[in-house]
Amino acid sequence: MAFLPNYRPKQLSLGPLETEILHIVWELQSATVKDVHERILSDPERELAYTSVTTVLQRLTQKGWLTCDKQGRTYFWKPLISREQAQALRAYEQLNQFLAVGNPDVVAAFADSLDQASVEQLDAIAQRLRAIRQAREEQ
């Protein structure tokens, strides 16, 4: 189960290449520029300069998604949060943006247009919230 991490990147929004490279680092768990560059170039349809990969890795570090460790002459990038934690953070931000609409009629109209599976999922979430709150009150 994904949870909201205590640590959050400075900037959640990422461009397409940043997202692609972050996914590669998640897959590899620790990656050098060469590792990422080779992974991208494994697609014969792709072209990307080695220096562009370096720039994006540095940008992801500045944005708080990665950390960089130097071992000898080689730099290794590692994720600061897991893919699941990132998904939870994005969902949390999106939910807050949706609720910030502030107009109950808009939110209700949206909820009314959902299919049955989505309504059942919302009901399951509401039941889970009630159980969490009840457990918290009993402590």
Side-chain angles (χ1 to χ4, degrees):
M1 178 177 159
F3 59 93
L4 289 175
N6 291 329
Y7 172 80
R8 295 180 188 206
K10 297 172 194 167
Q11 185 175 344
L12 288 181
S13 63
L14 300 175
L17 184 57
E18 290 172 327
T19 301
E20 179 182 6
I21 288 176
L22 180 59
H23 282 268
I24 292 170
V25 175
W26 275 328
E27 288 173 21
L28 299 175
Q29 297 178 349
S30 177
T32 64
V33 176
K34 182 179 178 185
D35 296 333
V36 175
H37 189 245
E38 287 177 352
R39 179 72 66 98
I40 291 171
L41 294 184
S42 67
D43 178 353
E45 301 292 316
R46 295 289 302 273
E47 287 186 30
L48 186 65
Y50 188 91
T51 54
S52 296
V53 174
T54 302
T55 299
V56 172
L57 286 166
Q58 290 170 343
R59 200 175 320 139
L60 286 167
T61 302
Q62 292 168 352
K63 289 182 176 184
W65 286 93
L66 302 177
T67 185
C68 181
D69 296 318
K70 185 176 182 182
Q71 296 176 8
R73 294 179 55 188
T74 307
Y75 291 91
F76 290 87
W77 276 268
K78 297 177 184 176
L80 289 170
I81 62 172
S82 71
R83 184 185 318 243
E84 293 76 20
Q85 290 171 324
Q87 289 172 336
L89 279 174
R90 286 191 183 110
Y92 177 78
E93 291 297 320
Q94 289 172 346
L95 178 60
N96 278 332
Q97 288 175 2
F98 174 69
L99 295 175
V101 168
N103 184 335
D105 293 332
V106 172
V107 175
F110 173 78
D112 187 47
S113 68
L114 295 174
D115 62 13
Q116 186 59 35
S118 297
V119 170
E120 290 170 4
Q121 190 175 15
L122 285 174
D123 286 341
I125 292 168
Q127 289 176 5
R128 181 74 181 122
L129 282 172
R130 283 191 290 276
I132 290 169
R133 288 180 178 150
Q134 182 177 3
R136 192 179 310 141
E137 289 173 5
E138 291 173 357
Q139 286 182 353

